[in-house]
Amino acid sequence: MISEKVNEWVELPIEDILSPLANGVILGQGWSPQCEKQPSPTENDWGVLKTTAIQPGKFLELENKLLPAHLSPRTQHEVKSGDLLITCAGPRNRCGIACLVRKTRKKLLISGKMYRFRVNERKAVAEYLEAYLLSQKAWKAIDKMKTGGSDSGLNLTHTRFKTLLVPIPSIETQRSVVSKIEELLSELEKGKQQLETAQQQLKIYRQAVLKWAFVNDRFQDFILKDVTEKIQIGPFSTQLHREDYIENGIPLINPMHIQDGMIEADYSDSISKEKLKSLPNYILKEGDVIMGRRGEMGRCGLVRKKEAG
């Protein structure tokens, strides 16, 4: 029993504060069919969520793949507002990420790499549980629960996750905690907006400096091939097929992943280590420069130590 004393906290296994889903289970795992690469275009077309739909404290409904027309949707896995989601497979830094679905469009299914659950509203507040799952204490506990032989591919099993201890005060106290968190996050958002404004100003200054440095007659011009060791393009489409793409593997870099000279990898566009072995000439090395030659033409980024390999 949860104590009725406002100031008394108890620790309960997470399974004790959840309510059964429509199919009777408290922890639902989804379905991972072979989907189209593009997302579901409208809420009239079924889509299956990618793990990237689950970000810390944020649900991204556009991160999904279109369910092929010849497959019937397993509607028991449809996401609803009020659901809590957590990734249960992937690399260490992506396995165990949680979010609350505050709102969502229709006809989106969870995949087999995530769990779905709902709180018992007599015992817990959904926003409070989300906040706890994002805390360092919960993250460390969940990290110890993960199984697997490699940091690039771990799993969080039903059995282990259901034992996660959650500190539970009264409903009133939970709501107070959530209110304070939202107040602090609002202040952080204001700071973020100010930082983004400053970053835009820095871009303008950077372009001015580059223009001053290179638009003059102080330097001798060279042809690019004369000052580089090697110039090559990425793998051809014949070397990569739709079935080669996986989530949370070795990321493939496209021009859209180059932002302000930095490389921002997207783990939803990735390949396995086995496939990588067949493409040894395309593995990025520290000091490489990559540049977009189609689409986002001209974008340029330097490969640093963290992106190498």
Side-chain angles (χ1 to χ4, degrees):
M1 293 289 293
I2 295 179
S3 172
E4 295 180 357
K5 295 180 181 180
V6 171
N7 295 321
E8 185 174 342
W9 295 59
V10 295
E11 277 195 323
L12 295 174
I14 192 170
E15 65 176 335
D16 288 354
I17 60 172
L18 301 181
S19 285
L21 300 172
N23 58 1
V25 301
I26 64 168
L27 199 61
Q29 188 170 5
W31 172 46
S32 294
Q34 184 68 48
C35 292
E36 305 293 344
K37 189 176 180 182
Q38 71 270 22
S40 163
T42 71
E43 64 177 18
N44 295 318
D45 303 286
W46 286 94
V48 178
L49 293 171
K50 301 189 291 185
T51 57
T52 48
I54 304 174
Q55 299 297 328
K58 184 180 295 185
F59 174 66
L60 305 178
E61 64 178 29
L62 295 179
E63 290 292 308
N64 70 80
K65 292 183 178 180
L66 177 64
L67 185 70
H70 68 275
L71 293 178
S72 297
R74 299 182 183 181
T75 56
Q76 69 269 29
H77 301 313
E78 185 178 6
V79 171
K80 306 286 187 182
S81 296
D83 286 344
L84 283 147
L85 304 178
I86 189 167
T87 56
C88 61
R92 185 175 296 277
N93 68 334
R94 284 293 304 161
C95 181
I97 301 295
C99 73
L100 171 65
V101 180
R102 289 168 170 81
K103 64 177 183 177
T104 182
R105 49 155 275 192
K106 299 184 298 182
K107 296 189 175 182
L108 290 178
L109 307 172
I110 62 169
S111 77
K113 294 183 178 180
M114 56 188 72
Y115 296 142
R116 179 168 69 101
F117 48 100
R118 299 180 74 92
V119 298
N120 181 332
E121 294 181 353
R122 292 182 292 108
K123 296 182 178 182
V125 174
E127 291 84 356
Y128 172 83
L129 181 55
E130 177 195 46
Y132 178 69
L133 291 173
L134 297 174
S135 71
Q136 283 295 311
K137 181 178 179 180
W139 178 255
K140 289 178 180 178
I142 290 171
D143 198 48
K144 292 178 181 178
M145 296 177 175
K146 299 171 188 175
T147 60
S150 169
D151 277 2
S152 62
L154 297 176
N155 294 285
L156 179 62
T157 65
H158 286 79
T159 304
R160 293 192 176 200
F161 179 63
K162 286 193 289 188
T163 66
L164 177 70
L165 293 176
V166 181
I168 297 292
S170 67
I171 293 293
E172 179 183 357
T173 300
Q174 290 181 51
R175 288 176 178 151
S176 296
V177 170
V178 170
S179 178
K180 186 61 178 180
I181 290 173
E182 290 176 347
E183 177 186 334
L184 294 173
L185 288 178
S186 178
E187 292 299 317
L188 285 174
E189 186 61 32
K190 291 179 183 177
K192 178 184 174 183
Q193 291 173 358
Q194 293 171 350
L195 178 59
E196 289 174 348
T197 299
Q199 287 175 331
Q200 290 299 320
Q201 292 173 336
L202 285 173
K203 286 181 183 179
I204 296 172
Y205 298 152
R206 182 173 183 269
Q207 289 300 317
V209 170
L210 292 174
K211 181 178 181 180
W212 174 86
F214 295 106
V215 182
N216 55 58
D217 298 325
R218 292 183 299 167
F219 303 106
Q220 180 181 353
D221 290 335
F222 289 91
I223 297 174
L224 185 61
K225 67 180 181 64
D226 293 335
V227 293
T228 56
E229 293 181 359
K230 181 181 180 181
I231 299 177
Q232 71 174 71
I233 63 174
F236 293 98
S237 58
T238 54
Q239 295 170 286
L240 286 171
H241 304 91
R242 190 180 73 173
E243 59 268 21
D244 294 323
Y245 288 86
I246 63 171
E247 292 185 26
N248 302 317
I250 308 299
L252 295 170
I253 304 302
N254 291 317
M256 64 181 176
H257 302 137
I258 305 172
Q259 302 289 337
D260 299 322
M262 306 292 288
I263 300 171
E264 301 291 341
D266 181 354
Y267 285 85
S268 64
D269 288 326
S270 58
I271 58 175
S272 66
K273 288 185 176 180
E274 290 70 26
K275 183 60 182 179
L276 181 67
K277 292 176 182 178
S278 69
L279 302 168
N281 295 328
Y282 303 104
I283 299 174
L284 296 179
K285 299 177 182 178
E286 185 176 1
D288 285 351
V289 175
I290 57 175
M291 183 175 69
R293 70 184 188 95
R294 290 181 180 174
E296 305 283 348
M297 292 180 61
R299 286 196 181 187
C300 187
L302 175 66
V303 178
R304 295 167 172 82
K305 186 176 181 179
K306 69 175 183 177
E307 293 103 8

